[in-house]
């Protein structure tokens, strides 16, 4: 895969998560407006939004799976590729 393609895919993923964060922000602002800027509702909605954005960022971080870790998770021993179907 070329570097340009990796960059394009990364930007698509980042912008999709940015869109989700903005949609959540609009919902948060709507809740705060309905509750007439009550401090408790503002604090709760802001906290929930920050946690949501944190999970979006954490979900975007790369998880490096090694073959040994995959074999350990699925309980596969002695096979070179645990996803091969011809066993």
């Amino acid at each position: 895969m070329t570097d340009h393609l990796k960059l394009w895919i990364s930007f698509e993923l980042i912008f999709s998560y940015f869109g989700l964060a903005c949609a959540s922000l609009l919902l948060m602002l709507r809740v705060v407006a309905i509750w007439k800027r009550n401090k408790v509702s503002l604090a709760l909605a802001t906290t929930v939004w920050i946690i949501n954005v944190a999970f979006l960022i954490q979900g975007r971080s790369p998880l490096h799976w090694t073959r040994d870790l995959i074999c350990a998770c699925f309980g596969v021993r002695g096979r070179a590729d645990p996803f091969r179907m011809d066993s």
Side-chain angles (χ1 to χ4, degrees), residues 6-82:
K6 287 180 184 178
L7 183 66
W8 182 257
I9 291 171
S10 295
F11 275 124
E12 281 187 0
L13 288 173
I14 289 170
F15 286 134
S16 67
Y17 285 122
F18 182 71
L20 287 171
C22 288
S24 299
L25 179 65
L26 287 175
L27 287 173
M28 183 201 80
L29 292 174
R30 178 72 178 165
V31 167
V32 171
I34 288 172
W35 285 88
K36 296 183 171 102
R37 289 192 264 179
N38 184 356
K39 290 183 182 183
V40 174
S41 68
L42 178 64
L44 183 63
T46 304
T47 303
V48 168
W49 183 76
I50 289 172
I51 290 171
N52 183 26
V53 171
F55 277 127
L56 287 174
I57 292 169
Q58 190 270 339
R60 179 62 188 113
S61 64
L63 180 63
H64 300 286
W65 287 87
T66 63
R67 187 171 302 279
D68 295 333
L69 181 61
I70 292 172
C71 290
C73 286
F74 289 105
V76 179
R77 293 183 189 175
R79 288 179 58 187
D81 188 4

